[in-house]
Amino acid sequence: GRCRGLKWDRTPSIWPKLNCLKSHMRSWPSLELVREFVAQNNAAQIKHVIQILSQEFALSQHPHSRKGGLIGLAACSIALGKDSGLYLKELIEPVLTCFNDADSRLRYYACEALYNIVKVARGSVLPHFNVLFDGLSKLAADPDPNVKSGSELLDRLLKDIVTESNKFDLVGFIPLLRERIYSNNQYARQFIISWILVLESVPDINLLDYLPEILDGLFQILGDNSKEIRKMCEVALGEFLKEIKKNPSSVKFAEMANILVIHCQASDDLIQLTAMCWMREFIQLAGRVMLPYSSGILTAVLPCLSYDDRKKSIKEVANVCNQSLMKLVIPEDDETDEGKQSLSLQTEPKEESLSQQEVTSSGESLFILAFDSNLSSASVFNVSSTDRVPVTLNLDGIVQVLDCHLHDSATGMMTRIAVLKWLYHLYIKTPRKMFRHTDSLFPILLRTLSDESDEVILKDLEVLAEIASSPAGQTEDQGPCDGSDMRSELHIPVKASQLSSSGMKGMECSPSTPTMNSYFYKFMINLLKRFSSERKLLETRGAFIIRQLCLLLNAENIFHSMADILLREEDLKFASTMVHTLNTILLTSSELFQLRNQLKDLKTPESRNLFCCLYRSWCHNPVTTVSLCFLTQNYKHAYDLIQKFGDLEVTVDFLTEVDKLVQLIECPIFTYLRLQLLDVKNNPYLIKALYGLLMLLPQSSAFQLLSHRLQCVPNPELLPGETSPPASVSKATATNIDYLELLQHFERVQNKHLEVRHQRAGRGEPPDRRVVL
């Protein structure tokens, strides 16, 4: 009852309280005994007094008795003085029990009592720090403002003691910190962050070693609704990052990699940006130590590359992460030394197949690598040990992530471009390992050719071109001319008897150069199949794709292989359309300049073989066949072909193509042809062929254009005599090309086209547009 009116000063200074307590100690006869027992060094009696104060007063059922007991325990601590450290467990435990009292005034008294106990004991309380911290963390969220105010005074006192001491048990404290850091209460979070900032500032306490234990919790707190708490957490994370940059050799990068992967995918912008900045620093500081986590990093980073200006900062940092990670892949990663791999597996975490994990706080599905903490000690993953411990690159997880992003229709354009850049980079740096994944990647790479973005298609073609030309893709068990494979792709006739002799010749002259591998022919087959199934793709992007391939690969091989495949194409309408497209590219594209020059004179066996191969497929389209003869200066054969046009069904489409050919003759590509019109005696069949085209045309603008051109041809009778070889000896005759066989082949192909058109008409399908005479 005498303690009921006791009022303590709430200032940090304890001395007013001590004076107050001294005046009240006279009302506690047992406390007078404590002084005597201290003087007598009678520990047993001291414990007995403390036990009475605890059990009969502080832990009493009566609230007034509990208040008196708390004051008595504090007074007892003052009476003990420097010897209070010997009895701290007995003094502290009943006070901490009162922290849970339902009466807020009692909680306040408990807080004040503990303040006095700690003030006297100072550094002696450090062995009991965890229980004190646990109790304070609860009071920090207390709803009563007076209790919170008292807990703040005690909190400051404890921080001063920890800062001054060099005996703080950080190892024993970390498990409690790791547990409390996941509190959702704002005041508890603020309390936790304040302690982390204090511990981080103490030179003798190396909190960085235990950062993996608390990093996830820090990122959780970073998403708090309170701006003040978020700012405090930002400061704490910033300080940690500064320490990491100063001492990278002692940082456990590997143990924190997956934590960053998770938070790099957070829905909160601040969390995501901060985690991405950390990831950037980790990749640049740790280097190849981060390679085992590449698939998880890419899962987090790649989607950010398609962010708009609202998340520009995140996008820029993610781009740096992506570029830095790409640079870590080196040609040595393509080595297949089993001994090296087994050594690496003993010292590195395995990169397992990706699994989807849900983060309950954000509801997002994340790809996270399985992580074995037992294999992530600092001795293995610190920077200083990277020279001694090899880091192998397991491509399975990386390829799975890249493939997943290409398959996802929601993937942004910049992300798709980054994925294709990664695939290209991996095929350049690690071709042997990458070709193990080519069969699974090939279909999606082909489908990507239908992308809306030209830039995506360009990158996709670069990857496909590298696959088709890499020496690592040359395998004996994947022959380029496997009949079964071709039949399944492009409806090749099953029976060998259905193949003409000319078709076999086309196969025999198929090019085989060191720059092409067994995937090249497969690529050409599947590309034509895609054009066949997606006519819109052929119409809108066909020329663009083929022209780019001619820049990336050998143009002769591309035209030679496509002509080979089209020679056996059963869909004759598609074959005709495809030949027309290829012919337009051949005659008009700047990328084909060298190939046109090669075909112009047919001086080499290779050029003559190419002409024969192209001719046999070009026969699917009569007008393109004539244009090929014009290009190769086979004017007599062009005239012979035009003579056969009288036996063909003349359609509107046919005349439109003749019209386009006339327009093409006026272009710079055929300058040499127009100049040859001056040499009337040696080019009679050129003039006859042009007159043949003129006779095919109705009275139109093309007719007038060609007619005016032919009017400019000089009269041979007015030209002076020249000593030139007779016109009957043509340049083409010396090339040993069997033009009669080619002409017969043209007739066979056109007859087959006629049969197919009649079959379509019999089935009621829309016929080709015809001329109404």
Side-chain angles (χ1 to χ4, degrees), residues 594-623:
Q594 185 176 353
L595 188 59
R596 284 196 297 272
N597 282 345
Q598 182 180 343
L599 287 169
K600 187 184 296 184
D601 297 322
L602 301 179
K603 292 180 179 179
T604 63
E606 292 77 15
S607 63
R608 293 193 287 271
N609 285 338
L610 178 60
F611 167 72
C612 291
C613 181
L614 295 180
Y615 180 94
R616 293 188 177 96
S617 289
W618 262 229
C619 288
H620 283 297
N621 190 304
V623 179

mmCIF file of all heavy atoms in Angstrom, residues 594-623:
data_model
loop_
_atom_site.group_PDB
_atom_site.id
_atom_site.type_symbol
_atom_site.label_atom_id
_atom_site.label_comp_id
_atom_site.label_asym_id
_atom_site.label_seq_id
_atom_site.Cartn_x
_atom_site.Cartn_y
_atom_site.Cartn_z
ATOM 1 N N GLN A 594 25.631 -10.669 -105.953
ATOM 2 C CA GLN A 594 26.711 -11.592 -106.298
ATOM 3 C C GLN A 594 26.179 -12.853 -106.968
ATOM 4 O O GLN A 594 26.762 -13.358 -107.925
ATOM 5 C CB GLN A 594 27.492 -11.962 -105.032
ATOM 6 C CG GLN A 594 28.723 -12.822 -105.302
ATOM 7 C CD GLN A 594 29.526 -13.081 -104.046
ATOM 8 O OE1 GLN A 594 29.246 -12.522 -102.993
ATOM 9 N NE2 GLN A 594 30.532 -13.928 -104.157
ATOM 10 N N LEU A 595 25.057 -13.359 -106.478
ATOM 11 C CA LEU A 595 24.480 -14.569 -107.073
ATOM 12 C C LEU A 595 23.984 -14.294 -108.485
ATOM 13 O O LEU A 595 24.128 -15.148 -109.376
ATOM 14 C CB LEU A 595 23.329 -15.070 -106.192
ATOM 15 C CG LEU A 595 22.740 -16.434 -106.571
ATOM 16 C CD1 LEU A 595 23.809 -17.518 -106.516
ATOM 17 C CD2 LEU A 595 21.574 -16.796 -105.660
ATOM 18 N N ARG A 596 23.420 -13.115 -108.716
ATOM 19 C CA ARG A 596 22.989 -12.767 -110.071
ATOM 20 C C ARG A 596 24.185 -12.724 -111.021
ATOM 21 O O ARG A 596 24.117 -13.212 -112.157
ATOM 22 C CB ARG A 596 22.262 -11.409 -110.067
ATOM 23 C CG ARG A 596 20.855 -11.462 -109.536
ATOM 24 C CD ARG A 596 20.077 -10.216 -109.920
ATOM 25 N NE ARG A 596 20.658 -9.008 -109.330
ATOM 26 C CZ ARG A 596 20.337 -8.533 -108.130
ATOM 27 N NH1 ARG A 596 19.449 -9.168 -107.391
ATOM 28 N NH2 ARG A 596 20.894 -7.415 -107.680
ATOM 29 N N ASN A 597 25.278 -12.128 -110.565
ATOM 30 C CA ASN A 597 26.482 -12.093 -111.410
ATOM 31 C C ASN A 597 27.007 -13.494 -111.692
ATOM 32 O O ASN A 597 27.531 -13.772 -112.771
ATOM 33 C CB ASN A 597 27.573 -11.259 -110.739
ATOM 34 C CG ASN A 597 27.315 -9.772 -110.896
ATOM 35 O OD1 ASN A 597 26.498 -9.357 -111.721
ATOM 36 N ND2 ASN A 597 28.004 -8.973 -110.113
ATOM 37 N N GLN A 598 26.881 -14.361 -110.729
ATOM 38 C CA GLN A 598 27.337 -15.735 -110.909
ATOM 39 C C GLN A 598 26.503 -16.454 -111.967
ATOM 40 O O GLN A 598 27.012 -17.251 -112.760
ATOM 41 C CB GLN A 598 27.243 -16.471 -109.571
ATOM 42 C CG GLN A 598 27.745 -17.923 -109.599
ATOM 43 C CD GLN A 598 27.619 -18.586 -108.249
ATOM 44 O OE1 GLN A 598 27.459 -17.922 -107.238
ATOM 45 N NE2 GLN A 598 27.695 -19.905 -108.241
ATOM 46 N N LEU A 599 25.203 -16.154 -112.002
ATOM 47 C CA LEU A 599 24.308 -16.815 -112.959
ATOM 48 C C LEU A 599 24.315 -16.144 -114.333
ATOM 49 O O LEU A 599 23.914 -16.764 -115.328
ATOM 50 C CB LEU A 599 22.875 -16.801 -112.414
ATOM 51 C CG LEU A 599 22.577 -17.756 -111.254
ATOM 52 C CD1 LEU A 599 21.226 -17.435 -110.644
ATOM 53 C CD2 LEU A 599 22.616 -19.214 -111.736
ATOM 54 N N LYS A 600 24.771 -14.907 -114.393
ATOM 55 C CA LYS A 600 24.650 -14.149 -115.636
ATOM 56 C C LYS A 600 25.414 -14.803 -116.789
ATOM 57 O O LYS A 600 24.922 -14.857 -117.921
ATOM 58 C CB LYS A 600 25.151 -12.717 -115.428
ATOM 59 C CG LYS A 600 24.908 -11.806 -116.625
ATOM 60 C CD LYS A 600 25.507 -10.431 -116.407
ATOM 61 C CE LYS A 600 24.833 -9.707 -115.259
ATOM 62 N NZ LYS A 600 25.363 -8.323 -115.112
ATOM 63 N N ASP A 601 26.604 -15.316 -116.504
ATOM 64 C CA ASP A 601 27.446 -15.850 -117.584
ATOM 65 C C ASP A 601 27.545 -17.366 -117.591
ATOM 66 O O ASP A 601 27.978 -17.940 -118.599
ATOM 67 C CB ASP A 601 28.855 -15.258 -117.478
ATOM 68 C CG ASP A 601 28.848 -13.753 -117.668
ATOM 69 O OD1 ASP A 601 28.068 -13.287 -118.510
ATOM 70 O OD2 ASP A 601 29.595 -13.063 -116.947
ATOM 71 N N LEU A 602 27.178 -18.024 -116.492
ATOM 72 C CA LEU A 602 27.283 -19.491 -116.401
ATOM 73 C C LEU A 602 28.683 -19.976 -116.801
ATOM 74 O O LEU A 602 28.830 -20.938 -117.555
ATOM 75 C CB LEU A 602 26.216 -20.168 -117.276
ATOM 76 C CG LEU A 602 24.747 -19.836 -116.954
ATOM 77 C CD1 LEU A 602 23.821 -20.563 -117.911
ATOM 78 C CD2 LEU A 602 24.409 -20.181 -115.517
ATOM 79 N N LYS A 603 29.702 -19.321 -116.270
ATOM 80 C CA LYS A 603 31.077 -19.650 -116.650
ATOM 81 C C LYS A 603 31.610 -20.878 -115.913
ATOM 82 O O LYS A 603 32.500 -21.560 -116.404
ATOM 83 C CB LYS A 603 31.991 -18.451 -116.365
ATOM 84 C CG LYS A 603 31.735 -17.247 -117.248
ATOM 85 C CD LYS A 603 32.677 -16.114 -116.893
ATOM 86 C CE LYS A 603 32.456 -14.902 -117.790
ATOM 87 N NZ LYS A 603 33.356 -13.767 -117.435
ATOM 88 N N THR A 604 31.102 -21.144 -114.716
ATOM 89 C CA THR A 604 31.647 -22.229 -113.902
ATOM 90 C C THR A 604 30.680 -23.401 -113.840
ATOM 91 O O THR A 604 29.459 -23.238 -114.025
ATOM 92 C CB THR A 604 31.916 -21.732 -112.480
ATOM 93 O OG1 THR A 604 30.663 -21.345 -111.877
ATOM 94 C CG2 THR A 604 32.857 -20.532 -112.492
ATOM 95 N N PRO A 605 31.199 -24.617 -113.569
ATOM 96 C CA PRO A 605 30.291 -25.779 -113.403
ATOM 97 C C PRO A 605 29.286 -25.549 -112.276
ATOM 98 O O PRO A 605 28.142 -25.997 -112.370
ATOM 99 C CB PRO A 605 31.251 -26.925 -113.073
ATOM 100 C CG PRO A 605 32.568 -26.499 -113.618
ATOM 101 C CD PRO A 605 32.618 -25.008 -113.499
ATOM 102 N N GLU A 606 29.714 -24.859 -111.199
ATOM 103 C CA GLU A 606 28.804 -24.618 -110.077
ATOM 104 C C GLU A 606 27.632 -23.728 -110.504
ATOM 105 O O GLU A 606 26.482 -24.000 -110.133
ATOM 106 C CB GLU A 606 29.552 -23.944 -108.922
ATOM 107 C CG GLU A 606 30.584 -24.819 -108.225
ATOM 108 C CD GLU A 606 31.870 -24.958 -109.011
ATOM 109 O OE1 GLU A 606 32.076 -24.158 -109.949
ATOM 110 O OE2 GLU A 606 32.663 -25.864 -108.691
ATOM 111 N N SER A 607 27.919 -22.693 -111.290
ATOM 112 C CA SER A 607 26.842 -21.814 -111.734
ATOM 113 C C SER A 607 25.894 -22.542 -112.676
ATOM 114 O O SER A 607 24.678 -22.322 -112.641
ATOM 115 C CB SER A 607 27.419 -20.566 -112.403
ATOM 116 O OG SER A 607 28.150 -20.909 -113.564
ATOM 117 N N ARG A 608 26.437 -23.418 -113.526
ATOM 118 C CA ARG A 608 25.569 -24.176 -114.441
ATOM 119 C C ARG A 608 24.711 -25.180 -113.674
ATOM 120 O O ARG A 608 23.526 -25.371 -113.999
ATOM 121 C CB ARG A 608 26.427 -24.880 -115.494
ATOM 122 C CG ARG A 608 27.122 -23.910 -116.445
ATOM 123 C CD ARG A 608 27.709 -24.621 -117.647
ATOM 124 N NE ARG A 608 28.907 -25.397 -117.299
ATOM 125 C CZ ARG A 608 30.137 -24.914 -117.313
ATOM 126 N NH1 ARG A 608 30.351 -23.643 -117.629
ATOM 127 N NH2 ARG A 608 31.178 -25.679 -117.013
ATOM 128 N N ASN A 609 25.295 -25.816 -112.651
ATOM 129 C CA ASN A 609 24.504 -26.727 -111.823
ATOM 130 C C ASN A 609 23.379 -25.976 -111.109
ATOM 131 O O ASN A 609 22.253 -26.465 -110.996
ATOM 132 C CB ASN A 609 25.394 -27.413 -110.792
ATOM 133 C CG ASN A 609 26.264 -28.492 -111.407
ATOM 134 O OD1 ASN A 609 25.949 -29.008 -112.482
ATOM 135 N ND2 ASN A 609 27.361 -28.830 -110.743
ATOM 136 N N LEU A 610 23.707 -24.794 -110.615
ATOM 137 C CA LEU A 610 22.690 -23.991 -109.936
ATOM 138 C C LEU A 610 21.578 -23.605 -110.906
ATOM 139 O O LEU A 610 20.393 -23.667 -110.556
ATOM 140 C CB LEU A 610 23.341 -22.741 -109.335
ATOM 141 C CG LEU A 610 22.388 -21.768 -108.634
ATOM 142 C CD1 LEU A 610 21.678 -22.442 -107.472
ATOM 143 C CD2 LEU A 610 23.137 -20.525 -108.150
ATOM 144 N N PHE A 611 21.942 -23.213 -112.106
ATOM 145 C CA PHE A 611 20.926 -22.856 -113.102
ATOM 146 C C PHE A 611 19.998 -24.034 -113.371
ATOM 147 O O PHE A 611 18.770 -23.874 -113.411
ATOM 148 C CB PHE A 611 21.591 -22.396 -114.396
ATOM 149 C CG PHE A 611 20.648 -22.316 -115.558
ATOM 150 C CD1 PHE A 611 19.701 -21.310 -115.632
ATOM 151 C CD2 PHE A 611 20.672 -23.290 -116.561
ATOM 152 C CE1 PHE A 611 18.809 -21.248 -116.699
ATOM 153 C CE2 PHE A 611 19.787 -23.231 -117.624
ATOM 154 C CZ PHE A 611 18.850 -22.203 -117.693
ATOM 155 N N CYS A 612 20.564 -25.211 -113.575
ATOM 156 C CA CYS A 612 19.732 -26.382 -113.870
ATOM 157 C C CYS A 612 18.795 -26.696 -112.712
ATOM 158 O O CYS A 612 17.619 -27.034 -112.913
ATOM 159 C CB CYS A 612 20.622 -27.589 -114.163
ATOM 160 S SG CYS A 612 21.533 -27.460 -115.711
ATOM 161 N N CYS A 613 19.317 -26.585 -111.482
ATOM 162 C CA CYS A 613 18.487 -26.857 -110.304
ATOM 163 C C CYS A 613 17.349 -25.845 -110.204
ATOM 164 O O CYS A 613 16.199 -26.209 -109.985
ATOM 165 C CB CYS A 613 19.360 -26.829 -109.053
ATOM 166 S SG CYS A 613 18.456 -27.172 -107.528
ATOM 167 N N LEU A 614 17.674 -24.563 -110.351
ATOM 168 C CA LEU A 614 16.639 -23.529 -110.283
ATOM 169 C C LEU A 614 15.629 -23.697 -111.415
ATOM 170 O O LEU A 614 14.418 -23.570 -111.211
ATOM 171 C CB LEU A 614 17.275 -22.136 -110.356
ATOM 172 C CG LEU A 614 18.201 -21.716 -109.197
ATOM 173 C CD1 LEU A 614 18.723 -20.304 -109.446
ATOM 174 C CD2 LEU A 614 17.475 -21.788 -107.869
ATOM 175 N N TYR A 615 16.119 -23.997 -112.590
ATOM 176 C CA TYR A 615 15.245 -24.095 -113.757
ATOM 177 C C TYR A 615 14.156 -25.145 -113.527
ATOM 178 O O TYR A 615 12.987 -24.911 -113.833
ATOM 179 C CB TYR A 615 16.066 -24.440 -114.995
ATOM 180 C CG TYR A 615 15.248 -24.557 -116.254
ATOM 181 C CD1 TYR A 615 15.099 -23.472 -117.111
ATOM 182 C CD2 TYR A 615 14.593 -25.751 -116.588
ATOM 183 C CE1 TYR A 615 14.335 -23.577 -118.267
ATOM 184 C CE2 TYR A 615 13.825 -25.867 -117.722
ATOM 185 C CZ TYR A 615 13.701 -24.775 -118.563
ATOM 186 O OH TYR A 615 12.932 -24.873 -119.703
ATOM 187 N N ARG A 616 14.557 -26.305 -113.010
ATOM 188 C CA ARG A 616 13.589 -27.399 -112.855
ATOM 189 C C ARG A 616 12.456 -27.014 -111.902
ATOM 190 O O ARG A 616 11.309 -27.414 -112.103
ATOM 191 C CB ARG A 616 14.312 -28.653 -112.378
ATOM 192 C CG ARG A 616 15.260 -29.222 -113.420
ATOM 193 C CD ARG A 616 15.815 -30.566 -112.981
ATOM 194 N NE ARG A 616 16.657 -31.133 -114.022
ATOM 195 C CZ ARG A 616 17.972 -31.025 -114.084
ATOM 196 N NH1 ARG A 616 18.607 -30.352 -113.137
ATOM 197 N NH2 ARG A 616 18.659 -31.555 -115.069
ATOM 198 N N SER A 617 12.768 -26.265 -110.874
ATOM 199 C CA SER A 617 11.712 -25.809 -109.966
ATOM 200 C C SER A 617 10.992 -24.585 -110.516
ATOM 201 O O SER A 617 9.785 -24.428 -110.320
ATOM 202 C CB SER A 617 12.294 -25.477 -108.588
ATOM 203 O OG SER A 617 12.686 -26.646 -107.918
ATOM 204 N N TRP A 618 11.735 -23.722 -111.201
ATOM 205 C CA TRP A 618 11.122 -22.525 -111.781
ATOM 206 C C TRP A 618 10.061 -22.890 -112.820
ATOM 207 O O TRP A 618 9.191 -22.084 -113.127
ATOM 208 C CB TRP A 618 12.208 -21.657 -112.407
ATOM 209 C CG TRP A 618 12.716 -20.510 -111.571
ATOM 210 C CD1 TRP A 618 12.850 -19.230 -111.980
ATOM 211 C CD2 TRP A 618 13.179 -20.532 -110.219
ATOM 212 N NE1 TRP A 618 13.375 -18.442 -110.967
ATOM 213 C CE2 TRP A 618 13.574 -19.226 -109.866
ATOM 214 C CE3 TRP A 618 13.286 -21.548 -109.253
ATOM 215 C CZ2 TRP A 618 14.060 -18.902 -108.609
ATOM 216 C CZ3 TRP A 618 13.779 -21.220 -108.008
ATOM 217 C CH2 TRP A 618 14.163 -19.917 -107.692
ATOM 218 N N CYS A 619 10.108 -24.120 -113.311
ATOM 219 C CA CYS A 619 9.114 -24.561 -114.292
ATOM 220 C C CYS A 619 7.701 -24.571 -113.728
ATOM 221 O O CYS A 619 6.726 -24.664 -114.487
ATOM 222 C CB CYS A 619 9.468 -25.952 -114.821
ATOM 223 S SG CYS A 619 10.903 -25.966 -115.939
ATOM 224 N N HIS A 620 7.559 -24.496 -112.401
ATOM 225 C CA HIS A 620 6.221 -24.399 -111.800
ATOM 226 C C HIS A 620 5.551 -23.093 -112.205
ATOM 227 O O HIS A 620 4.325 -22.975 -112.109
ATOM 228 C CB HIS A 620 6.321 -24.449 -110.267
ATOM 229 C CG HIS A 620 6.565 -25.829 -109.726
ATOM 230 N ND1 HIS A 620 5.669 -26.855 -109.883
ATOM 231 C CD2 HIS A 620 7.619 -26.348 -109.030
ATOM 232 C CE1 HIS A 620 6.126 -27.949 -109.296
ATOM 233 N NE2 HIS A 620 7.318 -27.671 -108.772
ATOM 234 N N ASN A 621 6.338 -22.120 -112.668
ATOM 235 C CA ASN A 621 5.790 -20.830 -113.060
ATOM 236 C C ASN A 621 6.410 -20.438 -114.405
ATOM 237 O O ASN A 621 7.595 -20.108 -114.462
ATOM 238 C CB ASN A 621 6.110 -19.773 -111.988
ATOM 239 C CG ASN A 621 5.365 -18.478 -112.210
ATOM 240 O OD1 ASN A 621 5.467 -17.887 -113.283
ATOM 241 N ND2 ASN A 621 4.637 -18.027 -111.198
ATOM 242 N N PRO A 622 5.651 -20.456 -115.488
ATOM 243 C CA PRO A 622 6.225 -20.231 -116.821
ATOM 244 C C PRO A 622 6.939 -18.889 -116.964
ATOM 245 O O PRO A 622 8.035 -18.823 -117.541
ATOM 246 C CB PRO A 622 5.004 -20.308 -117.758
ATOM 247 C CG PRO A 622 3.987 -21.089 -117.000
ATOM 248 C CD PRO A 622 4.213 -20.775 -115.560
ATOM 249 N N VAL A 623 6.356 -17.825 -116.464
ATOM 250 C CA VAL A 623 6.941 -16.495 -116.656
ATOM 251 C C VAL A 623 8.257 -16.376 -115.894
ATOM 252 O O VAL A 623 9.234 -15.784 -116.384
ATOM 253 C CB VAL A 623 5.957 -15.402 -116.226
ATOM 254 C CG1 VAL A 623 6.566 -14.018 -116.411
ATOM 255 C CG2 VAL A 623 4.648 -15.514 -117.027
#
